[in-house]
Amino acid sequence: MKQHLDSTCALVVVDVQNDFCPGGALPVRDGDQVVAPLNRYAAIFAHAGAAVIATRDWHPPDHCSFRPQGGPWPVHCVRGTPGAAFHPQLKLPPGAIIISKAENPAVESYSFFGDSGLEHPLAGRGIRKLFIGGLATDYCVKWTALDALRRGFVTCLLTDAIRGVEVHPGDSAAAVEEMKAAGVILLRLEDF
Ligand code: VGL
Ligand code: ZN
């Protein structure tokens, strides 16, 4: 269904970082394929006066989710390293809001609402509707979408701009079904 965008809407570009793309430390298959559609979305949102938010996994070198610390993941997205940088072709408009997450060494945080409770950069901006794309469908995208719903945002998933880690085959499809069942609205570029 055609979407009307205004300043109450925000595009959320989740973790489009080198380490989640082919050649990175925790590569998502075809992770770089989200860049082109997200650039389209970012241009559409900026033109409509809607916010563009980009999240980044921004771990300290000894984050608890890393294998050397006993966690499930290879070392990835260590703050300030090339692997933690946004994909070089990602085009964020001027004024895009960058949100770093999972910065506390002792806490894993897949949601962009983070581990810090209520205070959040989105507060006070009048944003009520979130449109989420990026990496990875089965982790940060899913947790961010479900957390957004729980916090009362109208929450949409941009299904042509997501890819999953797929620790187990089918995880991404299951994540999309879980989001849909919870009330997330599934959209594509044709809806804009
Ligand atoms: C993510 C695994 C570990 C994600 C972050 O951005 O989806 N996945 N850290
Ligand atoms: Zn991480």
Side-chain angles (χ1 to χ4, degrees):
M1 202 178 63
K2 278 285 176 199
Q3 299 295 304
H4 170 79
L5 295 175
D6 58 27
S7 63
T8 67
C9 300
L11 172 66
V12 183
V13 175
V14 176
D15 296 3
V16 182
Q17 293 166 273
N18 290 323
D19 271 345
F20 295 126
C21 292
L26 177 38
V28 172
R29 183 145 64 108
D30 295 333
D32 54 343
Q33 298 298 305
V34 303
V35 173
L38 286 172
N39 285 344
R40 291 275 318 279
Y41 282 116
I44 292 167
F45 275 65
H47 184 75
V52 175
I53 297 161
T55 73
R56 58 184 186 186
D57 214 25
W58 202 244
H59 295 308
D62 58 347
H63 191 255
C64 63
S65 75
F66 296 165
R67 279 180 199 142
Q69 273 66 44
W73 304 115
V75 174
H76 65 279
C77 295
V78 174
R79 61 185 178 214
T81 63
F86 291 124
H87 187 282
Q89 260 89 56
L90 184 67
K91 287 198 198 70
L92 298 173
I97 302 162
I98 312 286
I99 296 180
S100 303
K101 63 177 175 57
E103 296 182 271
N104 182 335
V107 184
E108 177 60 301
S109 176
Y110 292 131
S111 163
F112 93 136
F113 292 96
D115 45 45
S116 53
L118 285 177
E119 243 359 88
H120 191 269
L122 274 193
R125 288 177 188 267
I127 292 169
R128 295 173 34 223
K129 194 163 182 181
L130 300 180
F131 299 77
I132 301 171
L135 308 171
T137 311
D138 33 5
Y139 289 91
C140 287
V141 168
K142 179 178 100 169
W143 284 70
T144 295
L146 295 178
D147 208 3
L149 267 187
R150 208 176 304 123
R151 290 165 189 254
F153 290 92
V154 177
T155 307
C156 304
L157 180 69
L158 304 171
T159 58
D160 47 6
I162 54 174
R163 293 290 186 284
V165 180
E166 300 264 323
V167 172
H168 308 287
D171 279 358
S172 294
V176 171
E177 281 314 306
E178 188 180 340
M179 288 184 264
K180 189 177 167 194
V184 173
I185 300 160
L186 307 189
L187 298 174
R188 333 174 39 83
L189 271 167
E190 301 89 88
D191 295 309
F192 291 82

